[in-house]
Amino acid sequence: MFKLIKYLKGYIKESIIGPLFKFLEACFELIVPLVMASIIDIGIANNDTSFILKRGAFMVLLGFLGLVCSLTAQYFAAKAALGFGTALRNEMFSHIHSLSYSDIDKIGTSTLITRITSDINHAESGVNLILRLFLRSPFIVIGAFVMAFYLHAKLTLIFLAVTLLISAVIYVIMTKSIPLYKGIQSKLDTVSLITRENLTGVRVIRAFSRQKDEIERFEDTTCELTKNQIRVGNISASLNPLTYAILNLGIVAVLRFGGIAVDIGDITQGELIALINYMSQILLALIALANLIVTISRASASAIRINEVFSLKPSMTEKSVSDVKEASSDPDTPKVEFRNVSFSYNGTEASLSNVSFQARKGETVGIIGGTGSGKTTLVNLIPRFYDASEGEVLIDGKNVTEYPFSELRKKVSVVPQKAVLFRGTVRENMKWGKRDATDEEIYKALEIAQAKDFVNDLQGGLDAMIMQGGKNLSGGQRQRLTIARALTVQPEILILDDSASALDFATDARLRRALSTRTKGMTVFIVSQRASAIKNADKILVLDNGKPVGIGRHEELLRSCPVYREICLSQLSEDEVSKA
Amino acid sequence: MKKDNDKVLKRILKYTKPYGHLLLFALLFTIASVSMTLYAPVLVGKGVDLIVSEGNVDFEGLYPLLIRLGIVIALASLSRWLAERCTNKVSHNTARDIRIQAFKRLHILPLKYIDSGRHGDFLSRVITDVNQVSDGLLMGFSQLFNGIITIIGTIVFMLSMDFRITVIVVLVTPLSLFVANFVAKNTYHMFKLRSETMGELTSLVEEMTGNLKTVKAFGYEKEAQKRFEEINSRLRKHGLRAVFFSSITNPCTRFVNGVVYTSVGIAGALLAIKGAISVGQLSAFLNYANQYTKPFNEISGVIAELQSAFASAKRVFDIIDEEPQTPDPEDAVCLDRPDGSVVIKDVSFSYRPDIKLIENLNLTVKPGQRIAIVGPTGSGKTTVINLLMRFYDVDKGEIIVSGYPVKKIKRDSLRSAYGMVLQDTWLKTGTVRENIAYGKPDATDEEIENAAKAARADSFIRRLPKGYDTLVSDNDKISEGEKQLLSIARVMLTSPPMLILDEATSSVDTRTEINIQKAFDKMMEGRTSFVVAHRLSTIREADCILVMNKGKIVEQGTHEELLKKEGFYANLYYSQFDI
């Protein structure tokens, strides 16, 4: 929890003013009984009506001052806490977005989502309560202690014992419940995972009529969650009664030993009543504290989860713009070059081994191979989504790790396998590639991607709304839009990672023709399963189980590479193969 | 707003009904604990009276009194503890029931709702909002009960001492209720606004963080951050208002309490001068005035919490109230042995009334036929499948399967007659084995492995770290193609009478595909199948090829017939040799 304090930075003033005014309010409140005592001792004893009225007015004034102080405190506390939450949320969001692909693979996105929403909410209300109420209780406890000591030093021992006992109880309950709250939070993760999974998989679930089982699975997890919640709740529920019992037994002790003290004349009856009053005051303060502890322990469990995210350091470092080396301007330098590149996701099994090739400016490179042969892995190394385990990946003769990310993203544009679109208009989605793209540029990209016609048919054209995930478009439409989005970047290198799989042959062919004629100088990588999609490429790279087994043109490979030949024949008839 | 709240409250209370006995216990224990708590100060007062001055302490009377006090204290805390346990159980169980009901809704809502909804919003309702409800209930039950009983108890105790001062206390205190009510009324909307903004934020996080890789591929991080910060700052604004205004209740009621305390003090003192009451009674009154007003404080805090719980509950109830799909009619049939015939008669359908999609579609499929559906993207191929599976209902016309109109067939029965493999693969979190057995949970290991072998998935599964027991989760390295193989194995295992393959092998390499194709061919023998594909090699063998364009069937026939026609299909076919 304390690690997060730095997010209160911009709110130092508020975080001091809040508790300070709370303290003032507590002081005003402590004076009230004294005034009342003077009413009884002086006003009633002397039958002085005007004294009673004056003191009464004074008490109302104290109350009013207390109100003002308290409102001020609430306002500043709320301001500080919400500022804290907002800063924390912003920071976490940006931290998450600084993580690399392999980091994301490791944690998974669904837990990140609960952490940035529900966990930060808990932390936020925790801070609010600490600022508002947490500090007030110690003020009052200490104040009451001082007064008791002033009245009778020995009886203060009872106070000490009571306070220590109660603190012990609070401590035990806190240490018991914090880990449980953490467990609840992770159960909540599971509940949210199941819900999400059911939302995305609704078709498959219905197709297999597994609704009942999914509901059962959800019920089981929810019941476990509830069980845990009740368990923690029961532990917390013992807090109030225990503190109440300890404190009142303290009062019994005060009566017992106070009785003896009065008997031998150490204190008076009035002072005994005062002692009991202070004991009650401590009780009230500690109960308020105990009630807060539920919220605080939940907040600190959440804080731990938040810190876990922050402790995840991005595993990829970015070169700052200043120490970037000049790229080679020699026209003979290959645009993209792989030098003995190997890669493995987990450090053991190589997904890619010893790949070397060059691609020149304006060339089209086809990459083909079976499922799991490492095609996607290979192209993911070019925009540096992952870092090569061995060897070098160069763009314009310079290692990709030497580029700042922003420059790399401008040079290289990727259309991934999974066509992801975002809620918003078509135009907004297109502008992902280039923030200031004009309609003209967008239309050009749409035209090349063979998407202009259907976009024009949509109601609103570029202003047509796309639902989350592009649900209101067909698979092929989504793919073409993602291709167009990549084209608006006007990249030097375009990577199509099996991104035309949902297109029919005619559209696919038109797309490739447009790409080769209308994007002069762009180096294009086409990853595909279809031999027809890549057979006209300037260079074809054939991968098998992560190893390059052939590089060359279609005709050469047909002759020299058995894997390639086999792929081609599996898709096209003998006649069709030779037709090319 | 008031009416709204009442309605929400009534509904929440309905959910607590099954736990009525626990609530009753909670009430009884609370009554016990409050009366003990109120009785304790009386005993303390009596104790003080026995300790008068030096040499004048009645130890004989004091000790039994202290023992009695000890017992009262023990009983008070015990019953308080039991009461809290009861309310704890009630509130968490109630929240659980609401959560499960909302989730169940998800499975009977029409797909239209789920396709158009924001998943993040739905999530935040099922997770965050339900939590808010349980927090609210917990506070509501424990503190509201306690508070109300304390108020009643104190009035009784005060009345037994002096009528006039009691009247003053009772008259002034409602002020604090008035303040609390005023605040609550104004904060309801603020909390609602806050919940909505939170939902918006969750939606964005869901979309951006869920697709983090795409975000990074386009260097969109800054933009996403900007959007996030914009919503976040709105959240702060709404949150600040909601939190601050709800938190002023407490100081305001405390101020009113101060006024009550002072009024009692002044009135009491004046009466004491006249000799109407003793100083001892006055101090007892002051004590009770405190006891009496404290619960008002708590109640106002509870009301603030309840406000936000109600706002959340309403959002959850909105889901529960969402119109479900028309239920299966009473006399709906179960397809026992579907013969595999499918007739589509004059069917029209569109997702949005303003954009027409499929119009007057007609098709007769004989049992065992293989139907290929081809056409440019967006021509309505996937929509046909949505209709066949009854994910969506037709707007006009009807679909007849095995002689029964689909509306007369139980949905589950209709759907299990088809085996479906979609382009968008979906696997659940679980082992590979569980995923393959998804359609037939009681399958033996041997059956599962045979299905995987038929789908050509066996070899890659064996290469996984734990083979068939490898956990599939949303962040691992099983490729799209491998996921497709798994979903094919899933269907292979159920061996349904009819098949629907929507681009089932689009991400699988063609050599593997040919092998799968053989397995499918074997499987499809005698089974009706619908195949959407782009690879013409897959399509060539079909008994009938439907060529779709703009929602209509433009051509229909076998591969050879259609090539001879030199129409749309021929064009499509030859285009693959272009360039």
Side-chain angles (χ1 to χ4, degrees):
Chain A
M1 187 88 202
F2 296 105
K3 268 195 204 160
L4 297 177
I5 275 181
K6 61 172 184 244
Y7 296 99
L8 271 174
K9 221 183 193 170
Y11 299 90
I12 294 176
K13 194 179 69 191
E14 283 84 355
S15 354
I16 293 174
I17 293 178
L20 190 70
F21 274 84
K22 212 66 206 182
F23 174 71
L24 283 179
E25 192 219 355
C27 291
F28 288 131
E29 216 168 283
L30 278 171
I31 300 175
V32 171
L34 290 180
V35 181
M36 195 63 224
S38 74
I39 289 181
I40 295 170
D41 288 346
I42 303 169
I44 298 178
N46 303 338
N47 279 359
D48 188 343
T49 311
S50 77
F51 181 85
I52 293 173
L53 289 177
K54 256 189 246 156
R55 284 296 157 115
F58 182 56
M59 272 161 70
V60 174
L61 180 70
L62 280 176
F64 183 72
L65 285 175
L67 175 69
V68 172
C69 285
S70 165
L71 287 184
T72 318
Q74 309 282 52
Y75 178 73
F76 284 108
K79 202 169 168 194
L82 284 153
F84 163 84
T86 308
L88 189 55
R89 240 178 249 121
N90 282 342
E91 185 63 28
M92 181 134 160
F93 192 78
S94 107
H95 181 78
I96 289 174
H97 283 251
S98 73
L99 297 175
S100 72
Y101 273 37
S102 40
D103 301 328
I104 303 164
D105 289 341
K106 251 179 266 156
I107 10 174
T109 51
S110 75
T111 175
L112 288 177
I113 293 170
T114 23
R115 288 178 200 216
I116 200 170
T117 49
S118 143
D119 281 319
I120 292 188
N121 283 354
H122 287 322
E124 186 181 277
S125 37
V127 168
N128 190 17
L129 279 177
I130 288 181
L131 290 181
R132 250 163 58 183
L133 300 170
F134 210 69
L135 296 174
R136 184 174 173 237
S137 304
F139 293 155
I140 289 180
V141 172
I142 293 169
F145 247 101
V146 170
M147 301 304 272
F149 189 78
Y150 169 71
L151 287 172
H152 193 274
K154 260 192 206 152
L155 284 177
T156 319
L157 284 177
I158 298 173
F159 282 70
L160 197 65
V162 165
T163 315
L164 283 179
L165 259 177
I166 292 180
S167 310
V169 166
I170 290 176
Y171 177 77
V172 168
I173 287 175
M174 242 180 132
T175 45
K176 271 200 153 181
S177 53
I178 286 178
L180 287 175
Y181 277 114
K182 217 181 156 193
I184 286 179
Q185 228 35 39
S186 81
K187 270 274 162 332
L188 213 54
D189 270 356
T190 319
V191 173
S192 111
L193 176 83
I194 297 176
T195 313
R196 221 155 68 96
E197 209 165 83
N198 271 265
L199 283 165
T200 50
V202 66
R203 277 186 167 69
V204 178
I205 293 166
R206 289 189 188 188
F208 286 106
S209 305
R210 288 291 300 267
Q211 292 96 319
K212 273 204 198 87
D213 302 278
E214 290 299 328
I215 289 172
E216 232 168 69
R217 182 156 82 109
F218 183 84
E219 277 177 355
D220 287 348
T221 324
T222 313
C223 286
E224 265 177 65
L225 171 71
T226 309
K227 234 196 267 160
N228 284 350
Q229 281 173 329
I230 292 177
R231 239 177 91 203
V232 180
N234 283 344
I235 293 177
S236 312
S238 54
L239 196 54
N240 259 331
L242 272 178
T243 44
Y244 173 83
I246 293 172
L247 215 117
N248 277 284
L249 292 176
I251 291 181
V252 171
V254 169
L255 279 178
R256 164 77 172 73
F257 296 106
I260 297 172
V262 171
D263 201 35
I264 56 173
D266 269 3
I267 52 171
T268 66
Q269 185 194 20
E271 283 166 335
L272 182 66
I273 295 172
L275 278 175
I276 292 172
N277 270 335
Y278 286 124
M279 192 66 106
S280 312
Q281 223 139 21
I282 291 182
L283 172 71
L284 285 178
L286 286 179
I287 282 183
L289 197 70
N291 281 335
L292 287 180
I293 280 173
V294 177
T295 319
I296 304 277
S297 33
R298 197 162 64 176
S300 68
S302 287
I304 292 171
R305 284 163 51 90
I306 293 167
N307 280 322
E308 275 170 10
V309 175
F310 280 118
S311 65
L312 215 81
K313 291 279 166 282
S315 61
M316 223 179 249
T317 48
E318 183 180 0
K319 272 271 147 64
S320 66
V321 187
S322 54
D323 48 49
V324 164
K325 277 191 271 169
E326 266 309 300
S328 165
S329 52
D330 183 358
D332 282 342
T333 312
K335 192 79 195 166
V336 177
E337 184 176 4
F338 274 56
R339 282 189 199 154
N340 299 323
V341 172
S342 296
F343 178 81
S344 97
Y345 284 101
N346 45 21
T348 50
E349 218 175 321
S351 306
L352 210 59
S353 45
N354 214 14
V355 178
S356 297
F357 71 90
Q358 297 183 345
R360 308 209 153 268
K361 189 176 179 218
E363 268 186 341
T364 301
V365 179
I367 300 174
I368 196 164
T371 311
S373 62
K375 303 185 298 286
T376 298
T377 311
L378 187 146
V379 291
N380 273 343
L381 298 178
I382 301 173
R384 214 188 153 201
F385 288 157
Y386 296 92
D387 275 338
S389 321
E390 273 169 57
E392 282 180 302
V393 178
L394 301 105
I395 294 178
D396 289 332
K398 194 167 90 174
N399 197 315
V400 285
T401 56
E402 301 283 327
Y403 285 94
F405 285 131
S406 58
E407 198 179 326
L408 212 51
R409 305 279 183 262
K410 249 182 265 161
K411 272 184 186 291
V412 189
S413 195
V414 184
V415 186
Q417 257 170 17
K418 206 166 184 165
V420 176
L421 291 170
F422 295 87
R423 238 178 64 84
T425 63
V426 174
R427 183 185 284 110
E428 280 162 13
N429 267 285
M430 288 303 115
K431 283 192 173 175
W432 269 63
K434 191 173 173 220
R435 306 304 174 262
D436 53 353
T438 61
D439 279 9
E440 204 183 328
E441 287 171 317
I442 293 174
Y443 271 121
K444 192 185 163 202
L446 288 173
E447 209 170 71
I448 298 175
Q450 308 300 312
K452 195 178 173 186
D453 289 347
F454 88 79
V455 168
N456 277 337
D457 284 349
L458 292 177
Q459 204 184 22
L462 283 183
D463 292 312
M465 280 302 287
I466 294 176
M467 292 179 195
Q468 185 174 354
K471 284 277 156 49
N472 54 339
L473 298 172
S474 76
Q477 289 172 332
R478 282 204 293 269
Q479 283 194 336
R480 280 180 284 170
L481 283 185
T482 50
I483 293 169
R485 182 174 63 190
L487 284 169
T488 46
V489 181
Q490 297 169 359
E492 294 162 26
I493 301 163
L494 177 70
I495 298 172
L496 301 172
D497 184 4
D498 210 1
S499 40
S501 60
L503 300 189
D504 59 81
F505 273 100
T507 315
D508 188 17
R510 279 202 303 276
L511 167 73
R512 272 178 288 118
R513 193 183 309 137
L515 276 178
S516 65
T517 54
R518 299 197 47 183
T519 57
K520 282 274 173 279
M522 194 193 287
T523 308
V524 182
F525 285 82
I526 300 178
V527 173
S528 183
Q529 312 269 9
R530 295 181 189 170
S532 58
I534 53 122
K535 69 181 186 202
N536 293 304
D538 300 307
K539 194 172 273 168
I540 298 170
L541 183 64
V542 189
L543 287 175
D544 196 32
N545 279 326
K547 291 182 194 70
V549 291
I551 296 181
R553 300 185 69 90
H554 178 68
E555 300 78 20
E556 298 162 25
L557 289 172
L558 268 186
R559 262 178 279 116
S560 64
C561 180
V563 176
Y564 184 72
R565 194 173 161 73
E566 205 183 320
I567 293 174
C568 285
L569 285 177
S570 70
Q571 297 176 15
L572 309 162
S573 64
E574 191 83 39
D575 185 37
E576 289 163 350
V577 169
S578 52
K579 211 159 155 186
Chain B
M1 188 249 6
K2 183 105 186 81
K3 240 174 149 184
D4 264 14
N5 260 353
D6 285 353
K7 254 196 242 152
V8 173
L9 177 67
K10 257 190 212 144
R11 267 185 90 166
I12 294 178
L13 287 180
K14 240 203 222 142
Y15 280 98
T16 62
K17 236 184 200 159
Y19 312 104
H21 59 288
L22 281 176
L23 275 184
L24 188 71
F25 280 134
L27 191 68
L28 291 177
F29 286 131
T30 309
I31 291 174
S33 103
V34 169
S35 16
M36 294 294 163
T37 314
L38 286 179
Y39 186 48
V42 176
L43 287 179
V44 173
K46 279 187 183 160
V48 171
D49 280 344
L50 294 176
I51 307 167
V52 184
S53 59
E54 193 177 342
N56 193 4
V57 177
D58 180 5
F59 285 108
E60 300 266 308
L62 186 62
Y63 288 144
L65 191 86
L66 289 183
I67 291 169
R68 219 158 95 206
L69 184 58
I71 294 170
V72 167
I73 292 164
L75 285 179
S77 27
L78 184 69
S79 43
R80 177 80 201 262
W81 182 64
L82 289 172
E84 286 206 15
R85 282 184 76 112
C86 291
T87 53
N88 196 9
K89 209 162 171 187
V90 176
S91 7
H92 286 303
N93 281 338
T94 307
R96 178 195 61 197
D97 295 347
I98 294 178
R99 181 173 275 150
I100 289 176
Q101 215 198 354
F103 183 81
K104 277 187 180 159
R105 244 319 113 136
L106 163 67
H107 285 288
I108 52 167
L109 285 173
L111 263 156
K112 198 176 185 168
Y113 177 83
I114 296 162
D115 284 346
S116 64
R118 294 196 224 173
H119 292 176
D121 187 55
F122 191 97
L123 255 181
S124 106
R125 290 180 199 215
V126 173
I127 307 294
T128 325
D129 284 327
V130 175
N131 274 356
Q132 194 70 51
V133 173
S134 79
D135 285 354
L137 282 181
L138 195 61
M139 272 189 90
F141 285 135
S142 66
Q143 303 200 5
L144 211 59
F145 273 8
N146 210 332
I148 291 170
I149 295 167
T150 308
I151 291 168
I152 297 170
T154 326
I155 291 179
V156 172
F157 270 87
M158 284 196 296
L159 274 178
S160 71
M161 286 163 66
D162 189 277
F163 174 73
R164 284 159 294 186
I165 299 186
T166 312
V167 170
I168 293 180
V169 173
V170 173
L171 282 183
V172 181
T173 328
L175 252 181
S176 81
L177 271 189
F178 173 76
V179 172
N181 196 24
F182 175 79
V183 172
K185 214 183 247 172
N186 286 297
T187 47
Y188 175 80
H189 287 288
M190 294 177 192
F191 273 109
K192 207 171 142 222
L193 208 59
R194 184 172 82 147
S195 281
E196 280 167 9
T197 320
M198 195 67 216
E200 206 181 319
L201 191 83
T202 312
S203 251
L204 184 79
V205 170
E206 165 89 355
E207 201 173 20
M208 295 301 154
T209 309
N211 294 311
L212 206 47
K213 290 189 176 182
T214 312
V215 170
K216 293 187 79 73
F218 283 94
Y220 195 76
E221 296 98 323
K222 277 205 194 99
E223 217 70 14
Q225 184 80 26
K226 223 196 279 161
R227 282 172 65 186
F228 183 84
E229 285 181 9
E230 188 272 323
I231 301 176
N232 200 5
S233 76
R234 258 190 295 137
L235 179 68
R236 176 166 81 182
K237 208 174 77 193
H238 299 320
L240 183 60
R241 273 202 208 140
V243 170
F244 175 66
F245 278 99
S246 71
S247 75
I248 65 173
T249 322
N250 211 310
C252 287
T253 50
R254 211 162 33 219
F255 173 66
V256 175
N257 292 348
V259 175
V260 172
Y261 188 86
T262 313
S263 316
V264 171
I266 295 170
L270 294 179
L271 282 173
I273 292 175
K274 285 185 191 146
I277 57 169
S278 73
V279 174
Q281 276 174 315
L282 171 60
S283 77
F285 255 113
L286 285 175
N287 204 338
Y288 281 125
N290 260 340
Q291 295 263 26
Y292 177 68
T293 50
K294 216 175 71 186
F296 281 98
N297 261 341
E298 280 171 12
I299 288 172
S300 52
V302 171
I303 286 175
E305 184 79 13
L306 282 179
Q307 286 309 322
S308 96
F310 282 173
S312 287
K314 193 161 178 307
R315 283 162 44 82
V316 182
F317 290 149
D318 281 347
I319 296 184
I320 296 179
D321 292 341
E322 196 61 45
E323 178 110 15
Q325 58 195 12
T326 39
D328 291 330
E330 285 285 320
D331 56 344
V333 294
C334 252
L335 291 175
D336 191 19
R337 265 169 195 278
D339 61 10
S341 70
V342 177
V343 181
I344 298 177
K345 240 198 211 156
D346 277 331
V347 163
S348 298
F349 173 80
S350 68
Y351 293 101
R352 283 165 49 186
D354 51 329
I355 300 173
K356 288 199 170 59
L357 188 60
I358 289 184
E359 281 184 272
N360 299 324
L361 184 70
N362 279 294
L363 175 71
T364 306
V365 182
K366 293 195 200 83
Q369 276 192 326
R370 188 197 293 188
I371 309 297
I373 308 174
V374 296
T377 46
S379 58
K381 302 185 298 277
T382 301
T383 309
V384 171
I385 284 165
N386 273 337
L387 296 178
L388 284 174
M389 292 293 285
R390 230 189 139 194
F391 287 144
Y392 285 78
D393 274 333
V394 297
D395 295 337
K396 218 183 88 208
E398 63 178 349
I399 298 177
I400 298 165
V401 171
S402 200
Y404 297 101
V406 288
K407 285 191 180 161
K408 293 264 162 62
I409 304 173
K410 287 206 169 90
R411 278 190 183 81
D412 281 355
S413 162
L414 173 74
R415 286 172 188 156
S416 46
Y418 290 108
M420 176 191 78
V421 185
L422 297 181
Q423 186 185 7
D424 267 337
T425 52
W426 174 83
L427 297 175
K428 66 175 233 156
T429 313
T431 63
V432 169
R433 194 187 306 279
E434 282 164 5
N435 265 294
I436 296 177
Y438 195 67
K440 193 182 175 191
D442 54 350
T444 64
D445 287 358
E446 201 191 335
E447 287 176 300
I448 291 172
E449 280 167 36
N450 284 339
K453 273 179 198 145
R456 296 300 179 274
D458 185 64
S459 62
F460 99 80
I461 295 173
R462 289 191 188 283
R463 281 205 304 271
L464 292 172
K466 283 187 190 159
Y468 280 87
D469 295 314
T470 307
L471 215 58
V472 179
S473 56
D474 62 347
N475 55 313
D476 53 14
K477 273 137 253 140
I478 296 183
S479 72
E480 272 306 296
E482 287 165 343
K483 281 186 185 161
Q484 280 190 338
L485 295 186
L486 287 182
S487 43
I488 290 167
R490 190 165 64 188
V491 165
M492 293 266 180
L493 184 64
T494 56
S495 86
M498 297 190 281
L499 277 175
I500 288 181
L501 307 175
D502 185 0
E503 294 274 346
T505 49
S506 62
S507 301
V508 176
D509 68 281
T510 39
R511 283 181 302 165
T512 313
E513 190 189 19
I514 285 192
N515 286 325
I516 298 173
Q517 203 59 52
K518 279 184 203 141
F520 266 136
D521 284 347
K522 208 169 127 207
M523 197 176 155
M524 284 193 281
E525 240 169 74
R527 294 175 211 255
T528 310
S529 57
F530 296 85
V531 181
V532 172
H534 291 133
R535 286 187 198 156
L536 299 179
S537 53
T538 327
I539 295 162
R540 270 188 297 233
E541 324 281 318
D543 294 307
C544 175
I545 299 172
L546 297 184
V547 186
M548 293 193 70
N549 193 21
K550 298 194 172 143
K552 283 203 190 71
I553 295 182
V554 289
E555 286 173 26
Q556 194 167 341
T558 63
H559 181 70
E560 279 73 30
E561 286 168 13
L562 290 175
L563 279 190
K564 258 184 224 141
K565 239 183 179 173
E566 292 186 358
F568 201 87
Y569 179 78
N571 223 332
L572 211 59
Y573 181 73
Y574 289 120
S575 66
Q576 68 174 310
F577 305 113
D578 277 6
I579 304 189

